[in-house]
Amino acid sequence: MSQLAAKVGITKTAIYRHYESKEEVILAMQNRFYDLFAARILDLHKAFTDVKTLYSNENIVDITNFFVENSQYINYFISQFAVDPRFENTIRDELIKRGVNENFLNCQDEENEMRKYTHSVFLAVSFLFFIKAREQYYLCQGKKIPDSKNFSEKLIKFTNSGISGIFSGNKELKLHDISKERMEELDKYCKVDPSILPEEDKVFTALATVIAKYNISGVTVEKIADELNMAKSSLYFYFDNKNQMIFSLVEKELNLLAMLISENTAEAETYAEHIYITMCTEMNFFLQRKSIIAICGWLLQTSTENNFSQNNFSQKRDDEEPNNFWEAKISNPIKEIDLGFSFGPKMLTYWYGILPVALVVLSMKHNFSEKKTEDAVRYVFNYVLNGISKK
């Protein structure tokens, strides 16, 4: 509450004149989000006559603009999706309570459950990711953020065509589809043997347990220490504060993942295969280390934007060494992607790198089998490569 008061420029006492507790502030924020989002969707209700009209590009542009104009909700939205197993149902219930038609909330592809879910996840994560990236780009450049409609239209065009639609003329990248037989061969390289993974840090495990018990807003060093049956001072012996502790633990896990991806992608013969191996390796890693999912959600809500900005939009970005052979290959072609702001190869890698994380969250929530989760990654890989417009 003290941090909130400082951010707003008022005293903590002033907040308590309006809200009795931190939980009441969070509830008020949630209700405001649902009110604003429902109002935007209700405006669209007046325009649609059937499902095809409802999912027209014009309506999707309008929904995208909502998040462009209200980007402050994005970290909260993604973090809740990561840690709250009922978040999707809560959103649905709250929107219906505010008069939103159920037809608007139904996915179109009822015949294929996995394609229905992955279509939604791909669009939601991609839109929220690039909205946040665009905002941070202009903030780092000290420029005014331009009109949202033009950006939304470009983003829809990009997700409709995928990267092959952008790089189609570049034969060096070899962005052709991967055959079923070749995918099955690559799947063998993507397996993560749990026996080769080091034992998970006990503090990391304790943090994930605390998040599961108390949700993100309830995480404290005291509760982590209690979970470990140790004194709070013992944790502070190794770390200066809670944030340093979390970032340190997550960095160690992500470095391990990066090493596995680097080893596995050595088998890639094309850029498409590199992307596929990266996504499948991530999926298998997060299925083995599920506790990191909740912690990544915690990080999103506790504002990682400074690191995000410095890594992607610094003045030295164009001079940075690429992470791998294929990032070097796309350094020039990536300039063909027009979303109204420029970014480098690492941004594209981050984009398709976070998609498997969302799929593992989805898999955990709905208790999907490993086979269904693998199918989901293949669907999303095809969306990355060819866009959602290709059947």
Side-chain angles (χ1 to χ4, degrees), residues 13-78:
T13 305
I15 296 179
Y16 282 115
R17 292 195 190 106
H18 302 279
Y19 304 98
E20 291 184 0
S21 64
K22 181 173 68 174
E23 288 70 29
E24 198 172 301
V25 174
I26 292 172
L27 182 60
M29 181 186 73
Q30 291 171 338
N31 286 329
R32 179 164 174 77
F33 166 73
Y34 297 133
D35 289 344
L36 289 171
F37 196 31
R40 183 62 64 94
I41 293 177
L42 288 171
D43 283 342
L44 299 183
H45 278 180
K46 302 168 187 175
F48 85 87
T49 54
D50 55 36
V51 172
K52 288 184 179 178
T53 307
L54 179 61
Y55 286 92
S56 67
N57 277 2
E58 184 178 347
N59 285 345
I60 295 175
V61 164
D62 202 70
I63 294 173
T64 306
N65 286 344
F66 169 82
F67 282 103
V68 174
E69 295 159 7
N70 298 279
S71 64
Q72 67 272 20
Y73 291 112
I74 289 177
N75 280 4
Y76 169 76
F77 187 92
I78 297 177

Side-chain angles (χ1 to χ4, degrees), residues 340-360:
F341 67 100
S342 60
F343 52 86
K346 291 181 182 178
M347 177 68 75
L348 205 64
T349 302
Y350 290 154
W351 166 55
Y352 63 72
I354 63 171
L355 290 165
V357 182
L359 292 176
V360 172

Side-chain angles (χ1 to χ4, degrees), residues 125-147:
V125 173
S126 298
F127 280 25
L128 298 181
F129 177 83
F130 283 112
I131 287 169
K132 204 67 181 176
R134 172 179 179 264
E135 179 186 72
Q136 291 302 307
Y137 169 81
Y138 283 106
L139 287 174
C140 287
Q141 300 296 321
K143 298 177 181 178
K144 181 181 177 182
I145 301 175
D147 177 73

Side-chain angles (χ1 to χ4, degrees), residues 317-351:
R317 174 176 56 80
D318 292 333
D319 300 324
E320 289 180 355
E321 287 294 320
N323 285 332
N324 54 65
F325 171 81
W326 291 107
E327 280 192 359
K329 284 284 185 185
I330 66 169
S331 291
N332 286 320
I334 201 172
K335 295 173 184 176
E336 298 173 31
I337 298 178
D338 179 18
L339 291 178
F341 67 100
S342 60
F343 52 86
K346 291 181 182 178
M347 177 68 75
L348 205 64
T349 302
Y350 290 154
W351 166 55

Side-chain angles (χ1 to χ4, degrees), residues 175-188:
L175 275 172
H176 52 73
D177 291 337
I178 304 174
S179 69
K180 182 180 178 182
E181 292 73 24
R182 179 58 174 162
M183 275 189 172
E184 290 174 353
E185 185 180 348
L186 294 176
D187 286 340
K188 297 174 185 176

Side-chain angles (χ1 to χ4, degrees), residues 79-80 83-84 210-219 298 301:
S79 64
Q80 289 302 302
V83 301
D84 183 353
V210 169
I211 291 174
K213 284 183 179 179
Y214 303 103
N215 212 327
I216 287 175
S217 60
V219 174
W298 186 92
Q301 188 163 327

